Amino acid sequence: MAVDDLFSRWQFVEAVAGAGKTTVLVNRFCSIVDQGVGVAITYTNKSTYEMKRRIQEQLGRPAPVLVMTVHQFCAMILRLYPFNSTWPIAFSVLDGVAANNLRRQAVAAVMRERYRRADADWLFALTLGSEYQLEAILLQLVAETKPLVGLKRSIPELYRVAKAARLAYTNLKAGQGVLDFDDLMQQARRVVRKVGGGCVQHVLLDEAQDTNGDQWDLIQSCGVLDPGVSRETSLFIVGDAAQSIYSFQGAEPGVFYAMATAIQSIPGGKVTQSTHNYRCSDSVVEFVNNVFDGWMPEFQCLVPTTGKKGSVQCCFMPMTFDGRMDAIAAYCHAYIAENPGRSWADIALLCRKKKLFSAYREALTARGVPCSVQDRLGFYQQPEVRFLIHAIHAFSDPYAHEAWVAVLEKLGVSNSELVGLVGGVPLDWPSRLDRLSGDSAAAWQSLMLDSNVDSVQEWLNELVMGLGVWTLFPSPQAGANIRQLVRFAVAALAFPGAALPSIIDSWYDAMRHDSGSEQAMMAVTDGVYIMTMHSAKGLEFECVVLPELDASFNRSKSPV
């Protein structure tokens, strides 16, 4: 059946992928826009922007459109009801990256303080693992919102250190006037229970399968499910249990079906299903049905409607990374050749994790497939940035052993040659290069930073050119990142008293801990999109490539 567009006051719609859920939500929002305060809640900023745009377009007139993520909804509640607040009145919100960085500061401060005074609890904790391992454990414990009751009983020493780290994190947030996502949810639920609802009359919940228990409790506390209230209220829920991707945030099918039960228990409540797919070709629908029917309990077979034939190609055989890239590049070239009206941007490479984004980008670019990576975070984790940092360190310090090994390996020096360079005398690496065969050694030796260099910027430019960095990392994004790092170095050295060794130390720290710095901005190019499956949710592409179906799953969870 198709989605029923004749809305009930309380309605739960379970709709498969491609069933037009966003269209139904837009229609529903437009139907209640003049009937009181209505809020549409979804789970990404990208989704909120798209839904808001479509609502305004359909209304064709200026109107208040409250479309927001669940955490933006929490922030709105706290700003509407600031009385007796235990949070800063003019608070700011920490995103996930900023919250992680602040937790890291708190943990580092506690570790330094405990180490300085040889604290007994800290000394005992060190018997459990290395400082690096303890830092990772404490970061996880600080991020956890539940009380550490079990830890208090089992390892009281570690419990006391973790409690101190939690307090340090709380104090840092208070000092900066900020709240993290957990604070928003906790305080918003407390406020809504206190005021007894009334902050909104109509709630539309998108992607309901990704709602966790706390978020569902918040929505119920708004009073939109109570038929006895004097004001007109409504709740409209749309989701698909088979598309749940936020289990790491507590989402589970049980919460999703509890919503359906709650709606069904209200007189006049309506639960409907839609299995029509208006997005995919017949071949894709048939393939998906064959794979998941009878395997995933939540899955409902899709009904094709587009009439497009399409195709599905599978390659199930052992392949090296280069072999896999050869196959993907050949497929992409063939797709463009066979479909003259299509561009590279009609193709998406969907990955399970971001780890191999840069490797895919470099490998496909080298095979003539332009790419556009859709995750701009992680500047200091990009291979071209890491290489250049190692190169700057090595060619400014003749005794930087690890940096020299990393650079020479990337420049093509074989493992056997590296082993020959590592041992013996002389100790400085430029002199050791004399042991290499060929003409490269002399060229590399000439790139060393010395007193004859007129300016660091000039030396950096010569280093990049002399090492062939543009050839090693040919993609446009890599080039933009390389130029950005050079600008960072020049700007940092412009400060009085700044020195290259201290800047290099800060870069190494960023390589270990800073995953939130953005890559260099560049003009949008016509390239194959590389993104995670999570990021692709709700987007449409003419051609999709899945390169990691053989990757091992997390066995602690369902393989789906």
Side-chain angles (χ1 to χ4, degrees):
M1 62 173 289
V3 172
D4 187 355
D5 217 19
L6 300 175
F7 303 115
S8 169
R9 182 176 170 187
W10 300 285
Q11 188 164 355
F12 178 95
V13 179
E14 184 173 11
V16 300
K21 293 188 288 291
T22 302
T23 299
V24 174
L25 278 165
V26 168
N27 292 340
R28 171 63 173 172
F29 194 100
C30 292
S31 73
I32 53 94
V33 73
D34 296 321
Q35 300 177 23
V37 179
V39 176
I41 299 174
T42 186
Y43 283 86
T44 66
N45 290 321
K46 179 176 61 181
S47 299
T48 61
Y49 171 81
E50 176 63 16
M51 192 182 301
K52 188 178 295 185
R53 183 191 66 78
R54 290 179 60 174
I55 290 171
Q56 292 281 19
E57 186 178 275
Q58 184 159 320
L59 286 173
R61 59 181 174 83
V65 176
L66 296 178
V67 182
M68 56 191 68
T69 66
V70 67
H71 294 112
Q72 290 167 349
F73 179 55
C74 292
M76 182 189 76
I77 292 172
L78 298 189
R79 292 188 169 103
L80 285 173
Y81 300 96
F83 53 83
N84 297 326
S85 62
T86 58
W87 59 90
I89 297 299
F91 65 87
S92 299
V93 179
L94 292 173
D95 63 18
V97 172
N100 285 336
N101 289 338
L102 204 62
R103 291 188 196 103
R104 196 177 297 280
Q105 290 181 37
V107 168
V110 168
M111 290 174 66
R112 285 194 302 268
E113 191 270 337
R114 298 271 169 154
Y115 177 83
R116 181 186 58 79
R117 59 186 175 89
D119 175 71
D121 290 337
W122 177 246
L123 293 176
F124 176 84
L126 284 173
T127 66
L128 304 175
S130 67
E131 285 194 34
Y132 178 81
Q133 291 170 321
L134 284 175
E135 180 188 32
I137 292 171
L138 288 172
L139 284 171
Q140 187 172 346
L141 293 174
V142 172
E144 178 60 59
T145 58
K146 297 177 182 177
L148 305 175
V149 178
L151 183 65
K152 184 178 182 180
R153 288 195 298 263
S154 59
I155 313 177
E157 297 86 357
L158 182 59
Y159 164 78
R160 288 189 287 269
V161 177
K163 184 179 179 182
R166 279 188 168 187
L167 179 60
Y169 177 53
T170 299
N171 290 339
L172 282 174
K173 288 188 292 182
Q176 297 182 21
V178 296
L179 301 177
D180 63 19
F181 289 158
D182 292 324
D183 296 328
L184 289 175
M185 181 57 62
Q186 182 183 34
Q187 299 289 2
R189 290 172 65 197
R190 186 176 300 163
V191 167
V192 170
R193 284 195 293 266
K194 185 174 182 178
V195 302
C199 54
V200 294
Q201 289 177 246
H202 309 281
V203 173
L204 294 80
L205 181 62
D206 189 19
E207 307 291 0
Q209 74 279 355
D210 293 323
T211 305
N212 63 34
D214 289 345
Q215 294 162 356
W216 175 229
D217 177 73
L218 172 68
I219 292 169
Q220 292 181 94
S221 299
C222 291
V224 292
L225 275 174
D226 185 359
V229 297
S230 57
R231 59 196 174 88
E232 179 77 10
T233 61
S234 69
L235 176 61
F236 189 81
I237 299 174
V238 177
D240 177 15
Q243 295 186 62
S244 180
I245 59 174
Y246 282 90
S247 60
F248 61 92
Q249 292 185 355
E252 57 175 328
V255 175
F256 179 72
Y257 291 118
M259 297 180 193
T261 302
I263 294 288
Q264 206 159 25
S265 65
I266 302 174
K270 191 174 184 180
V271 175
T272 57
Q273 291 183 326
S274 170
T275 55
H276 284 64
N277 178 284
Y278 300 99
R279 181 183 300 161
C280 301
S281 67
D282 293 355
S283 297
V284 171
V285 170
E286 181 183 3
F287 177 79
V288 170
N289 288 342
N290 289 337
V291 169
F292 291 103
D293 187 27
W295 177 38
M296 180 188 288
E298 300 87 5
F299 181 76
Q300 303 176 70
C301 283
L302 283 59
V303 178
T305 62
T306 65
K308 299 178 181 177
K309 188 175 186 330
S311 66
V312 176
Q313 297 183 26
C314 300
C315 184
F316 298 122
M317 64 180 69
M319 299 179 75
T320 63
F321 178 81
D322 284 335
R324 190 173 305 220
M325 293 300 100
D326 288 339
I328 292 174
Y331 178 81
C332 292
H333 280 294
Y335 177 81
I336 294 298
E338 295 167 5
N339 298 274
R342 300 298 179 195
S343 69
W344 295 110
D346 289 319
I347 306 173
L349 193 73
L350 305 187
C351 310
R352 291 183 57 210
K353 298 180 180 180
K354 302 174 183 177
K355 184 177 181 180
L356 293 177
F357 276 10
S358 296
Y360 288 148
R361 182 190 68 196
E362 298 304 323
L364 292 176
T365 300
R367 289 163 173 80
V369 178
C371 295
S372 174
V373 175
Q374 296 303 295
D375 177 36
R376 294 191 55 247
L377 299 181
F379 172 73
Y380 289 101
Q381 282 67 51
Q382 300 309 306
E384 64 274 7
V385 174
R386 299 172 76 94
F387 172 80
L388 188 53
I389 290 172
H390 286 309
I392 293 172
H393 188 196
F395 285 86
S396 63
D397 181 354
Y399 302 100
H401 302 296
E402 293 181 2
W404 275 102
V405 170
V407 170
L408 293 175
E409 183 179 31
K410 181 63 180 178
L411 291 174
V413 176
S414 67
N415 289 336
S416 59
E417 288 179 306
L418 281 175
V419 170
L421 293 176
V422 169
V425 291
L427 296 178
D428 69 287
W429 277 84
S431 298
R432 294 184 187 188
L433 295 180
D434 289 332
R435 305 177 197 170
L436 293 176
S437 58
D439 302 327
S440 298
W444 293 338
Q445 288 166 335
S446 68
L447 296 174
M448 289 298 298
L449 177 63
D450 56 36
S451 57
N452 297 322
V453 173
D454 293 331
S455 72
V456 173
Q457 182 169 2
E458 179 183 334
W459 170 71
L460 289 172
N461 291 333
E462 291 177 356
L463 183 66
V464 169
M465 294 298 295
L467 295 179
V469 176
W470 307 118
T471 304
L472 290 172
F473 304 98
S475 74
Q477 182 64 64
N481 286 340
I482 291 164
R483 286 187 287 272
Q484 177 164 289
L485 185 68
V486 172
R487 288 196 298 271
F488 283 175
V490 173
L493 287 168
F495 283 94
L500 190 58
S502 62
I503 294 171
I504 291 171
D505 285 343
S506 70
W507 284 343
Y508 278 125
D509 186 65
M511 287 166 63
R512 288 189 293 269
H513 301 305
D514 182 0
S515 60
S517 292
E518 291 191 346
Q519 298 183 56
M521 288 289 293
M522 56 180 293
V524 177
T525 58
D526 178 24
V528 172
Y529 286 93
I530 301 178
M531 62 179 68
T532 63
M533 294 183 185
H534 283 70
S535 300
K537 190 172 177 63
L539 302 180
E540 297 184 20
F541 296 96
E542 292 296 326
C543 177
V544 171
V545 179
L546 304 175
E548 299 173 350
L549 288 183
D550 58 336
S552 59
F553 288 96
N554 183 345
R555 296 301 179 186
S556 65
K557 300 186 295 185
S558 163
V560 176

